Amino acid sequence: MDKKKGVLVSGGGGYIGTHTAVELINAGYEVVIIDNFSNSDESGVKGVREITGKDVPFELVDTCDKEALRKVFEKYEFDTVIHFAAYKAVGESMDQPLKYYQNNLVSFMNIVEMMKEFGRNNVLFSSSATVYGEPETLPVTEESPRQPATSPYGNTKQMAEDILRDCCRAYDSLYGIALRYFNPIGAHPSAMIGELPRGVPNNLVPFITQTAAGIRECLSVFGTDYDTPDGSCLRDFIDIVDLAKAHVAAVDRMTQDKMEGKYEIFNIGTGRPVSVLELITTFEEVNNLKLPYKIVGRRPGDVKAVWADTSKANRVLGWEASRPLGETLKAAWKWEKNIRDME
Ligand code: UD1
């Protein structure tokens, strides 16, 4: 493995990890995937191998297991780690905070510790727009203040950002980038990889596709009494392949020694607000179907509106989102049909 081209992807069996692994390989990077399959299975890694035609190395490792992680660092000579391995269910994190702090923070600290121990340089952390809470001004820039986290899940994102910032400041060899994702949706156009929610989906698009597939009876729209143009919440829905490509741009920046400081933050979104109702209508139009939905009360904890100012990522990373929402929603539906054997 060429050290500069080597990238360890933790949580590389999951939704964002698989898509990112594919784009990294397409860009000429050598990827090693680790995952403990706590929220994914072999099918994601298989999909990555099929799409790329490469026998991508995989190790079944829990990132919280420091000794197992050390063996991965001994075996492969990557200079960059992208850390996706984390729990992500907001509601569950309210009921089981320790599970979230334990898993999301210990795994990340283990990664950083191994980077330091082995003198590896670049850490890319998968953060979230959740750190902005209910923003005072829109769109949000990277300088917009973070709001106190409203869930342990959100808190682990803020804490991990701070851990990375402090470690990059303290350890000469370490460089870090945090990408704050807005709402990742869709699937690879091949429909060989995509999102695989366990149980009832919490997120909007998997719930929509499962409803269209007849697995859920009816979609609930959580509130149309917000102070927004159509009363439903506004979000910045970012195509998963566009999002994956943002990671490649960030890894390029780190491995080509273009970083201006030791730690940088980028918003990764489209810069365009789309309402929940608009998303539903677009899904129906592009896929030529009717979605059963009803309007219900607000979901506790939801923010009214959040979307990204992406000018920093556009300018500094030379990256911008390009897939139209309709294409993304077609890909989401194609993926759902594929995993349900509907075609
Ligand atoms: C949430 C988290 C975010 C996390 C993301 C991915 C917060 C505030 N947000 O984003 O940190 O990264 O999930 O896990 O912690 N909706 C419906 N019906 C549904 C589902 C959703 O109307 O069945 C609406 C919601 O009210 C919301 C929008 O769709 O307005 C998007 O919801 P969702 O997909 O869950 O994402 P967020 O809550 O924005």
Side-chain angles (χ1 to χ4, degrees), residues 221 223-226 228-234 275-278 304:
V221 174
T224 52
D225 58 347
Y226 286 95
T228 58
D230 66 18
S232 65
C233 293
L234 296 171
S275 78
V276 171
L277 290 175
E278 197 182 336
K304 174 180 78 174

Side-chain angles (χ1 to χ4, degrees), residues 88-90 128-131 150-151 153-154 181-184 201-207 219-223 226 232-235 237 276 280 299 301-304 306:
K88 61 174 184 180
V90 178
S128 166
T130 194
V131 302
T150 54
S151 71
Y153 158 78
Y181 315 143
F182 284 67
N183 289 59
N202 296 308
N203 297 118
L204 180 60
V205 170
F207 206 104
L219 168 73
S220 295
V221 174
F222 298 135
Y226 286 95
S232 65
C233 293
L234 296 171
R235 292 289 183 275
F237 296 99
V276 171
I280 294 169
R299 182 172 69 176
D302 273 342
V303 302
K304 174 180 78 174
V306 62

